[in-house]
Amino acid sequence: QMQLVESGGGLVQPGGSLRLTCTASGSIFSSYNMGWFRQAPGKEREFVAGISWSGGNTYYADSVKGRFTISRDNAKNTVYLQMNSLKPEDTDVYYCARGSSVAVSTAPYDYDYWGQGTQVTVSS
C-alpha cells in the first residue's frame, strides 16, 4: 500500500504560480510512475502530467504543456507539480496518484492509489 498526501494548493491570481507537493509513504516510491490529475465538481478526472519511475520521462496534457512541470525526488519520496502562468480554467482539485501500468498512462484507471486532493483556485 501507499499513502499519498498533497499540499501546496491555494488561491492565486491569474498569471501567478504555485508548486504542488505530493509525499508518499508505505511502499517503494521509486519503483512507480506517478501522475497528477485534476477534477472539477461534476466533471471527470483529467490527466495533467505524468512522470516515469526514474524521472527520465515526463508527459503533459496539451492544456498545460509549457506552463506546468512535473518532477520527482525519489530520495524524498516526493513528486512535484510546478504550475506557472496559471489561468482561471486551471481551477480544480488536484490529485497525485501512483501508476499501476508499465508505461506512464493518461487514464485514471491505470492509477491505483490516490491522495486526498488539494484545491487550486485561480482568480483575481
Side-chain angles (χ1 to χ4, degrees):
Q1 289 194 347
M2 178 179 279
Q3 292 77 44
L4 300 169
V5 178
E6 302 99 336
S7 61
L11 173 64
V12 63
Q13 292 187 341
S17 298
L18 283 174
R19 188 175 81 155
L20 305 184
T21 299
C22 174
T23 303
S25 62
S27 107
I28 304 173
F29 175 76
S30 60
S31 297
Y32 296 93
N33 303 327
M34 298 294 295
W36 284 97
F37 290 76
R38 63 188 183 187
Q39 187 172 24
K43 293 188 175 181
E44 294 186 354
R45 197 161 289 189
E46 175 191 21
F47 173 81
V48 175
I51 188 166
S52 61
W53 62 270
S54 67
N57 295 293
T58 57
Y59 305 85
Y60 298 93
D62 288 343
S63 57
V64 308
K65 204 170 291 184
R67 300 188 297 123
F68 291 11
T69 302
I70 188 171
S71 62
R72 67 190 295 163
D73 185 339
N74 285 343
K76 295 183 178 179
N77 287 357
T78 302
V79 60
Y80 304 98
L81 185 68
Q82 177 67 45
M83 305 186 295
N84 298 329
S85 303
L86 282 160
K87 305 175 182 180
E89 51 263 44
D90 294 318
T91 296
D92 269 324
V93 178
Y94 283 71
Y95 299 88
C96 71
R98 187 185 83 170
S100 57
S101 56
V102 173
V104 176
S105 172
T106 63
Y109 56 72
D110 281 329
Y111 292 80
D112 54 2
Y113 287 94
W114 296 80
Q116 82 289 349
T118 185
Q119 176 71 47
V120 171
T121 302
V122 185
S123 175
S124 55

